[in-house]
PDB file of all heavy atoms in Angstrom:
ATOM      1  N   VAL A  23      91.163 -20.028  -9.546  1.00 84.00           N
ATOM      2  CA  VAL A  23      90.436 -19.891  -8.218  1.00 84.00           C
ATOM      3  C   VAL A  23      91.462 -19.130  -7.385  1.00 84.00           C
ATOM      4  O   VAL A  23      92.552 -19.637  -7.111  1.00 84.00           O
ATOM      5  CB  VAL A  23      90.035 -21.274  -7.727  1.00 84.00           C
ATOM      6  CG1 VAL A  23      89.370 -21.299  -6.499  1.00 84.00           C
ATOM      7  CG2 VAL A  23      89.062 -21.800  -8.850  1.00 84.00           C
ATOM      8  N   LEU A  24      90.899 -18.163  -6.548  1.00 85.00           N
ATOM      9  CA  LEU A  24      91.743 -17.547  -5.527  1.00 85.00           C
ATOM     10  C   LEU A  24      90.908 -17.691  -4.221  1.00 85.00           C
ATOM     11  O   LEU A  24      89.772 -17.319  -4.101  1.00 85.00           O
ATOM     12  CB  LEU A  24      91.919 -16.100  -5.833  1.00 85.00           C
ATOM     13  CG  LEU A  24      92.620 -15.710  -7.237  1.00 85.00           C
ATOM     14  CD1 LEU A  24      92.606 -14.330  -7.394  1.00 85.00           C
ATOM     15  CD2 LEU A  24      94.013 -16.279  -7.174  1.00 85.00           C
ATOM     16  N   ASN A  25      91.530 -18.203  -3.152  1.00 85.00           N
ATOM     17  CA  ASN A  25      90.953 -18.119  -1.885  1.00 85.00           C
ATOM     18  C   ASN A  25      91.515 -17.010  -1.051  1.00 85.00           C
ATOM     19  O   ASN A  25      92.628 -16.910  -0.821  1.00 85.00           O
ATOM     20  CB  ASN A  25      91.299 -19.514  -1.119  1.00 85.00           C
ATOM     21  CG  ASN A  25      90.519 -20.660  -1.748  1.00 85.00           C
ATOM     22  OD1 ASN A  25      89.469 -20.583  -1.954  1.00 85.00           O
ATOM     23  ND2 ASN A  25      91.282 -21.724  -2.072  1.00 85.00           N
ATOM     24  N   VAL A  26      90.631 -16.084  -0.725  1.00 85.00           N
ATOM     25  CA  VAL A  26      90.995 -14.840  -0.043  1.00 85.00           C
ATOM     26  C   VAL A  26      90.139 -14.516   1.119  1.00 85.00           C
ATOM     27  O   VAL A  26      89.052 -14.650   0.942  1.00 85.00           O
ATOM     28  CB  VAL A  26      90.864 -13.637  -1.137  1.00 85.00           C
ATOM     29  CG1 VAL A  26      91.356 -12.291  -0.489  1.00 85.00           C
ATOM     30  CG2 VAL A  26      91.710 -13.945  -2.417  1.00 85.00           C
ATOM     31  N   HIS A  27      90.627 -14.129   2.207  1.00 85.00           N
ATOM     32  CA  HIS A  27      89.861 -13.648   3.300  1.00 85.00           C
ATOM     33  C   HIS A  27      89.336 -12.199   3.070  1.00 85.00           C
ATOM     34  O   HIS A  27      89.952 -11.473   2.285  1.00 85.00           O
ATOM     35  CB  HIS A  27      90.859 -13.626   4.631  1.00 85.00           C
ATOM     36  CG  HIS A  27      91.178 -14.906   5.188  1.00 85.00           C
ATOM     37  ND1 HIS A  27      91.420 -16.033   4.304  1.00 85.00           N
ATOM     38  CD2 HIS A  27      91.289 -15.393   6.378  1.00 85.00           C
ATOM     39  CE1 HIS A  27      91.677 -17.101   5.085  1.00 85.00           C
ATOM     40  NE2 HIS A  27      91.652 -16.733   6.314  1.00 85.00           N
ATOM     41  N   LEU A  28      88.183 -12.055   3.549  1.00 84.00           N
ATOM     42  CA  LEU A  28      87.595 -10.727   3.365  1.00 84.00           C
ATOM     43  C   LEU A  28      88.414  -9.631   3.836  1.00 84.00           C
ATOM     44  O   LEU A  28      88.332  -8.456   3.281  1.00 84.00           O
ATOM     45  CB  LEU A  28      86.043 -10.690   4.115  1.00 84.00           C
ATOM     46  CG  LEU A  28      84.997 -11.302   3.300  1.00 84.00           C
ATOM     47  CD1 LEU A  28      83.785 -11.279   4.296  1.00 84.00           C
ATOM     48  CD2 LEU A  28      84.759 -10.766   1.950  1.00 84.00           C
ATOM     49  N   ASP A  29      89.147  -9.789   4.877  1.00 85.00           N
ATOM     50  CA  ASP A  29      90.052  -8.741   5.427  1.00 85.00           C
ATOM     51  C   ASP A  29      91.127  -8.367   4.331  1.00 85.00           C
ATOM     52  O   ASP A  29      91.591  -7.304   4.402  1.00 85.00           O
ATOM     53  CB  ASP A  29      90.908  -9.244   6.664  1.00 85.00           C
ATOM     54  CG  ASP A  29      89.886  -9.266   7.807  1.00 85.00           C
ATOM     55  OD1 ASP A  29      88.787  -8.671   7.768  1.00 85.00           O
ATOM     56  OD2 ASP A  29      90.230  -9.931   8.879  1.00 85.00           O
ATOM     57  N   ASP A  30      91.402  -9.298   3.393  1.00 87.00           N
ATOM     58  CA  ASP A  30      92.392  -8.990   2.390  1.00 87.00           C
ATOM     59  C   ASP A  30      91.864  -8.349   1.176  1.00 87.00           C
ATOM     60  O   ASP A  30      92.592  -7.849   0.207  1.00 87.00           O
ATOM     61  CB  ASP A  30      93.045 -10.185   2.036  1.00 87.00           C
ATOM     62  CG  ASP A  30      93.917 -10.851   3.165  1.00 87.00           C
ATOM     63  OD1 ASP A  30      94.383 -10.110   4.019  1.00 87.00           O
ATOM     64  OD2 ASP A  30      94.046 -12.171   3.235  1.00 87.00           O
ATOM     65  N   LEU A  31      90.526  -8.103   1.074  1.00 88.00           N
ATOM     66  CA  LEU A  31      89.845  -7.537  -0.098  1.00 88.00           C
ATOM     67  C   LEU A  31      90.042  -5.989   0.099  1.00 88.00           C
ATOM     68  O   LEU A  31      89.175  -5.563   0.902  1.00 88.00           O
ATOM     69  CB  LEU A  31      88.517  -7.961  -0.405  1.00 88.00           C
ATOM     70  CG  LEU A  31      88.265  -9.479  -0.817  1.00 88.00           C
ATOM     71  CD1 LEU A  31      86.870  -9.804  -0.893  1.00 88.00           C
ATOM     72  CD2 LEU A  31      88.967  -9.662  -2.199  1.00 88.00           C
ATOM     73  N   ASN A  32      90.726  -5.362  -0.617  1.00 91.00           N
ATOM     74  CA  ASN A  32      90.844  -3.909  -0.658  1.00 91.00           C
ATOM     75  C   ASN A  32      91.151  -3.364  -2.032  1.00 91.00           C
ATOM     76  O   ASN A  32      91.284  -4.074  -2.920  1.00 91.00           O
ATOM     77  CB  ASN A  32      91.869  -3.535   0.567  1.00 91.00           C
ATOM     78  CG  ASN A  32      93.207  -4.066   0.112  1.00 91.00           C
ATOM     79  OD1 ASN A  32      93.557  -4.187  -1.036  1.00 91.00           O
ATOM     80  ND2 ASN A  32      93.961  -4.424   1.106  1.00 91.00           N
ATOM     81  N   GLY A  33      91.277  -2.102  -2.104  1.00 90.00           N
ATOM     82  CA  GLY A  33      91.499  -1.425  -3.369  1.00 90.00           C
ATOM     83  C   GLY A  33      92.710  -1.953  -3.992  1.00 90.00           C
ATOM     84  O   GLY A  33      92.852  -2.085  -5.237  1.00 90.00           O
ATOM     85  N   GLN A  34      93.736  -2.126  -3.272  1.00 91.00           N
ATOM     86  CA  GLN A  34      95.132  -2.439  -3.750  1.00 91.00           C
ATOM     87  C   GLN A  34      94.953  -3.900  -4.472  1.00 91.00           C
ATOM     88  O   GLN A  34      95.497  -4.176  -5.519  1.00 91.00           O
ATOM     89  CB  GLN A  34      96.098  -2.468  -2.662  1.00 91.00           C
ATOM     90  CG  GLN A  34      97.525  -2.839  -3.134  1.00 91.00           C
ATOM     91  CD  GLN A  34      98.466  -2.774  -1.925  1.00 91.00           C
ATOM     92  OE1 GLN A  34      98.142  -2.520  -0.835  1.00 91.00           O
ATOM     93  NE2 GLN A  34      99.828  -2.912  -2.344  1.00 91.00           N
ATOM     94  N   PHE A  35      94.240  -4.811  -3.672  1.00 90.00           N
ATOM     95  CA  PHE A  35      93.984  -6.205  -4.213  1.00 90.00           C
ATOM     96  C   PHE A  35      93.234  -6.143  -5.448  1.00 90.00           C
ATOM     97  O   PHE A  35      93.550  -6.809  -6.408  1.00 90.00           O
ATOM     98  CB  PHE A  35      93.307  -7.054  -3.087  1.00 90.00           C
ATOM     99  CG  PHE A  35      93.153  -8.444  -3.521  1.00 90.00           C
ATOM    100  CD1 PHE A  35      94.156  -9.427  -3.562  1.00 90.00           C
ATOM    101  CD2 PHE A  35      91.928  -8.753  -4.035  1.00 90.00           C
ATOM    102  CE1 PHE A  35      93.947 -10.751  -3.949  1.00 90.00           C
ATOM    103  CE2 PHE A  35      91.699 -10.143  -4.419  1.00 90.00           C
ATOM    104  CZ  PHE A  35      92.669 -11.075  -4.398  1.00 90.00           C
ATOM    105  N   ILE A  36      92.196  -5.350  -5.521  1.00 91.00           N
ATOM    106  CA  ILE A  36      91.384  -5.170  -6.766  1.00 91.00           C
ATOM    107  C   ILE A  36      92.287  -4.565  -7.965  1.00 91.00           C
ATOM    108  O   ILE A  36      92.130  -5.175  -9.060  1.00 91.00           O
ATOM    109  CB  ILE A  36      90.152  -4.286  -6.552  1.00 91.00           C
ATOM    110  CG1 ILE A  36      89.396  -4.824  -5.273  1.00 91.00           C
ATOM    111  CG2 ILE A  36      89.285  -4.083  -7.791  1.00 91.00           C
ATOM    112  CD1 ILE A  36      88.559  -6.057  -5.697  1.00 91.00           C
ATOM    113  N   GLN A  37      93.058  -3.633  -7.625  1.00 92.00           N
ATOM    114  CA  GLN A  37      93.881  -3.047  -8.732  1.00 92.00           C
ATOM    115  C   GLN A  37      94.893  -4.096  -9.311  1.00 92.00           C
ATOM    116  O   GLN A  37      95.127  -4.127 -10.512  1.00 92.00           O
ATOM    117  CB  GLN A  37      94.625  -1.856  -8.218  1.00 92.00           C
ATOM    118  CG  GLN A  37      93.707  -0.612  -8.038  1.00 92.00           C
ATOM    119  CD  GLN A  37      94.407   0.610  -7.448  1.00 92.00           C
ATOM    120  OE1 GLN A  37      95.523   0.451  -6.947  1.00 92.00           O
ATOM    121  NE2 GLN A  37      93.887   1.747  -7.575  1.00 92.00           N
TER     122      GLN A  37
END
Side-chain angles (χ1 to χ4, degrees):
V23 176
L24 302 172
N25 291 311
V26 180
H27 286 36
L28 280 177
D29 288 342
D30 296 330
L31 288 178
N32 56 33
Q34 184 180 5
F35 180 80
I36 302 292
Q37 286 176 349

